[in-house]
Amino acid sequence: MTCSQPGEPMIGGFGTWRNVPITFDAVDPSSATVQAANYLRITPNTEESAPRWIEIGLYAAKTGRTTQKYGPSWFELTASGGRTKAITAGINPTKPDGRTHTYMAVRQSSGNQWDVLYDFNKVGQTSSQYKVPRGNSNRIDIGLEVTGPQFTNVPAIANRMQFMTENKNWQRVASQNTARVVSLPVCSAAQKPPYCFSSRLTGGTAFTQWTVSKPRKPSTLSASQTDAVTTVVSGRPRGTFNGVDQGALRTCLEQSPNSCLETVPGLSECVMTARVCNEAALRANQASSWAAGPLGSSAGAATPSMVRADAASAFGVAPSAVTVTAPIGSYALAGSESTWTVTSTAPTRGLRDVGRMFRGFTAHYSARTGALVDACWGRMCDS
């Protein structure tokens, strides 16, 4: 991952990359956790003794010998617990079709909380962020994390990142304020896959792109892998929506997504005001779950045993410590969808390991597919 300190007040963070095909070996990993996450993480105030941060990204997890979950989510993480929500908005968010997607968090105009945006449309907001006194230090990271590298192949992901200053200008972090942290050795002739990463940080005086892969077998991190543009949309949106030139936005997303906030008329203003700026993505908002589509974790309706097993594995608790409650009525998910409610009071690390244990969790799983809809753990379930 890259760790960056902007060196000045920050009120927004932006990251962009393509939906690449993250794949897993067709083997049974037994009880081992096998997953990959490519994310943008923002820590608004690093001077608190127990920092709180926001994470939004693309997540994939192996769920069986030949099945997996794949799609975007966002997290709010604290020293007392965390919460997450699957993102189902936009065009094909759960398909590894090479489409570019954007990930953002922008501080609200009043108060201490932040709005979360996906493809330039709001998908959620935080509830437990600290006040950020002017002058306090902050951090913005972009990273790839892999658990179970011996089963996992992540092709080259070209990550680009910017932050917004308190003057509402978007800019790149200075290279001298950016560090790389790699937990596995660098792939080389002496250190071959699967226990290694390939990565490259590019840019002159400012961070431009961090390209990273976790190969399953020997391969080359080539320029063609990082710079390829995949056009997967037919038809062109026209006119303006909430002040944003929609044709210019679509062209920019396909050709140069890192520059959209600077070059698309009305976009920078829209993300600070209306927070809903991409009409095509809004219209494509599907009532589908995180695991819907060809990489879905299950076929047909979910059963209590499926949901219990998935929750126990995800939260690292015994299946006997999990209570599953059948759907009653409907639960809002991009419309209306019934969910299983899963609860436990057992100690858990939650769905993102921050080096702490928390008491209990509550999660909702789609009754249609068995996919996770949202969850909380620790004291974040009290809010």
Side-chain angles (χ1 to χ4, degrees), residues 315-318 320-322 343-349 357-361 377-378:
F315 284 92
V317 302
S320 59
V322 174
T343 58
S344 177
T345 57
T348 176
R349 294 186 182 278
M357 297 294 290
F358 306 100
R359 180 174 174 79
F361 68 87
W377 52 95

Side-chain angles (χ1 to χ4, degrees), residues 12-326:
F14 168 86
T16 182
W17 57 85
R18 293 181 293 118
N19 267 21
V20 302
I22 299 171
T23 56
F24 304 101
D25 288 356
V27 298
D28 184 358
S30 299
S31 59
T33 299
V34 181
Q35 59 189 22
N38 197 80
Y39 58 83
L40 173 74
R41 181 182 293 166
I42 297 169
T43 309
N45 185 352
T46 60
E47 294 189 10
E48 293 288 343
S49 57
R52 304 180 177 194
W53 58 95
I54 307 147
E55 183 177 303
I56 175 173
L58 177 65
Y59 303 86
K62 185 175 177 63
T63 57
R65 178 180 172 82
T66 60
T67 57
Q68 70 178 85
K69 298 176 181 179
Y70 181 100
S73 297
W74 71 272
F75 293 77
E76 182 173 18
L77 302 166
T78 76
S80 59
R83 66 187 182 105
T84 184
K85 186 171 180 62
I87 296 172
T88 59
I91 301 172
N92 297 339
T94 62
K95 293 184 178 181
D97 55 9
R99 183 187 301 273
T100 297
H101 292 280
T102 64
Y103 305 79
M104 297 179 68
V106 180
R107 199 169 78 187
Q108 295 175 355
S109 58
S110 61
N112 306 321
Q113 303 313 308
W114 293 59
D115 288 332
V116 179
L117 291 81
Y118 180 75
D119 286 348
F120 299 115
N121 290 333
K122 181 178 175 179
V123 294
Q125 65 182 38
T126 66
S127 62
S128 303
Q129 293 302 300
Y130 288 125
K131 180 179 180 180
V132 182
R134 193 174 186 278
N136 276 35
S137 60
N138 47 48
R139 211 172 98 177
I140 180 169
D141 308 330
I142 203 160
L144 171 65
E145 291 184 6
V146 176
T147 304
Q150 68 271 33
F151 303 113
T152 308
N153 184 74
V154 183
I157 302 178
N159 294 289
R160 300 195 173 196
M161 180 184 75
Q162 297 180 52
F163 75 97
M164 183 163 55
T165 70
E166 63 180 349
N167 292 327
K168 300 182 180 179
N169 295 319
W170 290 95
Q171 62 185 55
R172 296 192 295 270
V173 179
S175 295
Q176 65 181 10
N177 294 334
T178 299
R180 282 186 293 179
V181 178
V182 182
S183 57
L184 290 175
V186 175
C187 294
S188 65
Q191 183 66 51
K192 297 181 179 180
Y195 295 100
C196 63
F197 281 103
S198 292
S199 66
R200 181 170 64 238
L201 184 63
T202 57
T205 58
F207 175 115
T208 299
Q209 179 172 296
W210 185 58
T211 306
V212 61
S213 68
K214 208 304 295 176
R216 175 66 181 85
K217 299 178 181 179
S219 62
T220 301
L221 188 67
S222 66
S224 61
Q225 286 178 294
T226 63
D227 298 332
V229 175
T230 304
T231 302
V232 290
V233 181
S234 61
R236 295 277 165 180
R238 298 180 179 178
T240 61
F241 176 74
N242 283 343
V244 180
D245 184 324
Q246 295 298 299
L249 176 59
R250 174 52 55 202
T251 298
C252 184
L253 283 171
E254 293 176 356
Q255 298 180 0
S256 182
N258 196 49
S259 67
C260 294
L261 289 163
E262 302 167 353
T263 61
V264 175
L267 182 60
S268 182
E269 293 81 1
C270 179
V271 297
M272 289 300 299
T273 54
R275 301 284 211 264
V276 180
C277 313
N278 185 340
E279 185 178 21
L282 187 66
R283 288 184 176 181
N285 201 351
Q286 304 168 357
S288 61
S289 64
W290 186 43
L295 296 180
S297 61
S298 57
T303 64
S305 59
M306 289 166 47
V307 171
R308 183 188 305 276
D310 190 61
S313 175
F315 284 92
V317 302
S320 59
V322 174
T323 299
V324 179
T325 304

